[in-house]
Amino acid sequence: MGTRNLRKTGETQGTEDARISSLQLFALLTIARLVPVTIIFPLVWASPNVQDLWIGAVAALPPSLVFALFVVRLGKAFPGKTIFGILLDLFGPVFGRIVGLGLLTTWFFHLIGLLRSVAEVHVSAIMTETPEVAFIGAVVAAGVYAARAGIEPVARTSEIVLIAVALFFCQLLLLPLDVANPEHLQPILQHGWETPILSALNTMTYYSSFTIIGMVLPYLGRKEGAQKPVVSAVLVSGALIVAFILMLTMVFGPLLPSLAFPAFSLARIVSVANFLERTESLGMVVWVLSHSLECSLLVWCCSQGLAGLLGLSDGRPLIIPLGFLSAALASNFFGSGPEVHKFYQVRTIGTMLIGFHLVLVVLLLGGLIWKKARSRSES
């Protein structure tokens, strides 16, 4: 009886009957992928051979797309259940909890890394006298407030924030063309395939966060149309990232790995007829909006997932404690700005994230095959 009640908690939790549209799912996923790019963009530190970074970003798109579609297919195989409910159903209450806790931990560390990065760029570039904890607290407060309202208000807000992010990327990709030097993209593969491989692994590290699809899919209004927004989010975000890498490389060349905040540096050099200059202020607005939105999404996902693992029917009481915990860890887990940059490197947490999600996919595939074989034998 206890196991049955525990597994039921993995279903769409009854206090929230909201439904989101396919466009909102696309907006949520696209913003979730682009947010890390808008500030620290760890990919540019993968290798000093920056002219080859775009190759790895392109190569990462097919496996990232396959992974995202696998999460969608998994959700369709277990209608009405979140990814944590699926884990409990396939692996039982003990091992399912262990795997679910591992997945929850990856989301939570992603959250605290985002919080610290947005504080770093504000303190380092603009408000040097303001303590980082003030920025972290402001973003967490906005995220917690939105998360307590549920996934539907967060999804509606994502449509507006996506417009701001798109405008920000458009001006970053078009306005610096007068100072771009295509010669910085050559020679290609002069130092072999190491840089494209590192670039591809770094890119796939961030697409691993698309496991949040498994939390949002039960709230999608038209579940049969889930593949289209997911595919579009992967391809659109991937295309923007590749274009952004090309622009950064053409503008900064070999100096690119020395930039702490590439998007901020690129926005500062924008100048149109001595009229539109130093557009980093627009970047600051976009950073606060997009980070607050992703913070609310991750806090909501973590609270719902933790509620499922603890056997609770409602995850909202967990949102405020998770907000306080994320703010405390974001303020104290990283000793300095460079540690935030190292945290996102593929040679550190990136390798662990990719390894964990590969094992997770293998386990889920094995569980699905075993369940299918068992149902055939019983029939």
Side-chain angles (χ1 to χ4, degrees):
M1 180 67 68
T3 300
R4 186 182 308 166
N5 291 335
L6 178 62
R7 290 181 180 178
K8 287 177 66 178
T9 61
E11 300 177 1
T12 303
Q13 285 154 354
T15 57
E16 191 170 343
D17 297 324
R19 288 292 179 263
I20 66 173
S21 67
S22 297
L23 177 60
Q24 291 166 349
L25 177 60
F26 165 77
L28 285 172
L29 295 177
T30 303
I31 293 171
R33 179 61 189 94
L34 294 179
V35 159
V37 177
T38 59
I39 293 191
I40 58 174
F41 203 10
L43 180 59
V44 302
W45 308 309
S47 171
N49 306 314
V50 294
Q51 70 273 13
D52 295 332
L53 290 175
W54 67 271
I55 301 175
V58 173
L61 287 179
S64 301
L65 183 59
V66 171
F67 175 75
L69 290 176
F70 171 74
V71 179
V72 173
R73 186 62 180 267
L74 190 67
K76 289 184 176 181
F78 295 85
K81 289 191 175 182
T82 67
I83 191 168
F84 292 95
I86 296 171
L87 291 174
L88 292 171
D89 189 64
L90 288 178
F91 305 131
V94 178
F95 188 61
R97 276 179 167 177
I98 295 173
V99 178
L101 188 61
L103 180 59
L104 201 65
T105 302
T106 65
W107 292 351
F108 198 74
F109 272 97
H110 184 50
L111 170 62
I112 66 174
L114 289 175
L115 291 173
R116 185 58 180 267
S117 64
V118 73
E120 285 288 337
V121 71
H122 279 84
V123 172
S124 302
I126 295 189
M127 301 179 182
T128 56
E129 300 299 324
T130 306
E132 292 175 344
V133 67
F135 294 106
I136 294 173
V139 175
V140 168
V144 166
Y145 179 80
R148 283 183 59 82
I151 187 60
E152 187 181 17
V154 174
R156 287 201 306 267
T157 306
S158 69
E159 295 179 281
I160 302 173
V161 175
L162 182 61
I163 296 175
V165 173
L167 291 174
F168 177 64
F169 267 91
C170 285
Q171 62 98 11
L172 283 185
L173 296 176
L174 297 176
L175 298 184
L177 284 173
D178 58 332
V179 295
N181 183 6
E183 292 183 1
H184 287 156
L185 297 174
Q186 300 175 351
I188 296 177
L189 298 177
Q190 183 183 21
H191 301 280
W193 287 92
E194 180 183 3
T195 297
I197 291 173
L198 291 174
S199 173
L201 291 175
N202 188 283
T203 303
M204 287 189 291
T205 296
Y206 281 94
Y207 277 113
S208 66
S209 65
F210 271 29
T211 46
I212 60 174
I213 297 171
M215 290 300 300
V216 180
L217 196 60
Y219 300 93
L220 188 64
R222 293 180 63 255
K223 296 178 179 58
E224 65 277 4
Q227 289 187 356
K228 185 176 179 180
V230 171
V231 171
S232 300
V234 174
L235 295 181
V236 170
S237 61
L240 286 174
I241 290 170
V242 172
F244 192 44
I245 295 171
L246 290 171
M247 179 56 68
L248 287 172
T249 305
M250 289 190 292
V251 172
F252 297 109
L255 298 177
L256 183 56
S258 64
L259 302 178
F261 308 109
F264 181 82
S265 300
L266 187 60
R268 294 187 68 177
I269 69 171
V270 168
S271 177
V272 179
N274 295 322
F275 172 71
L276 182 61
E277 295 182 329
R278 298 179 66 90
T279 58
E280 66 270 21
S281 57
L282 174 61
M284 289 296 175
V285 174
V286 172
W287 292 330
V288 172
L289 288 175
S290 58
H291 275 69
S292 298
L293 180 76
E294 184 162 10
C295 175
S296 64
L297 176 62
L298 288 173
V299 169
W300 179 85
C301 288
C302 288
S303 65
Q304 297 296 312
L306 185 58
L309 295 179
L310 295 178
L312 304 177
S313 60
D314 186 7
R316 283 183 298 183
L318 302 173
I319 290 177
I320 292 179
L322 285 173
F324 276 111
L325 181 60
S326 63
L329 287 177
S331 302
N332 299 289
F333 184 77
F334 307 101
S336 60
E339 287 192 14
V340 183
H341 302 160
K342 292 179 181 178
F343 176 75
Y344 280 108
Q345 287 292 325
V346 68
R347 292 185 175 93
T348 53
I349 192 173
T351 303
M352 293 184 288
L353 281 174
I354 293 175
F356 172 80
H357 285 88
L358 282 175
V359 173
L360 179 63
V361 169
V362 171
L363 289 174
L364 288 170
L365 281 173
L368 287 172
I369 293 172
W370 175 80
K371 182 180 180 181
K372 191 174 182 179
R374 186 181 65 175
S375 61
R376 283 182 177 178
S377 63
E378 290 177 352
S379 61

